Amino acid sequence: MRPISSTSPTSHPTTKSPTKPKRNIIFLHPDLGIGGAERLILDSALALQSHGHTITIFTSHRDPDHCFDEARNGTLDVRVRGDTIFPATMFGG
């Protein structure tokens, strides 16, 4: 008779999952004011940044007196590019 093993036949040694590469992620948003869409953009950017990714947010407008703290205090890399991010029309329309 064979001795009973202390490990089940389906058990596997613990292996580390491969580390995922850190990414450079860009968000585009037309106006970083105070609103639900802006909060969602910032919360998503903060979550990704907390996982080690590099985040840059490009916007056409950000009023330092009317935006969330993370959009003005250096927590996130926010770059204002005037009115040039989004075209006035798309596809000739």
Side-chain angles (χ1 to χ4, degrees):
M1 243 183 169
R2 296 174 65 191
I4 298 174
S5 173
S6 62
T7 59
S8 72
T10 58
S11 67
H12 300 285
T14 305
T15 58
K16 286 185 174 181
S17 61
T19 57
K20 294 182 180 181
K22 303 305 179 194
R23 309 257 182 205
N24 293 321
I25 300 171
I26 295 173
F27 284 85
L28 300 174
H29 193 69
D31 185 344
L32 280 179
I34 296 178
E38 291 78 11
R39 185 74 258 165
L40 179 64
I41 293 290
L42 295 175
D43 287 346
S44 298
L46 290 167
L48 290 165
Q49 183 173 273
S50 74
H51 287 280
H53 300 291
T54 301
I55 306 298
T56 306
I57 301 174
F58 287 97
T59 185
S60 296
H61 179 76
R62 177 195 59 192
D63 180 353
D65 295 326
H66 187 73
C67 66
F68 292 106
D69 289 340
E70 300 90 345
R72 73 169 161 259
N73 68 9
T75 301
L76 293 165
D77 180 9
V78 177
R79 301 180 190 189
V80 180
R81 295 293 186 245
D83 294 326
T84 60
I85 291 179
F86 299 98
T89 61
M90 293 184 71
F91 308 112

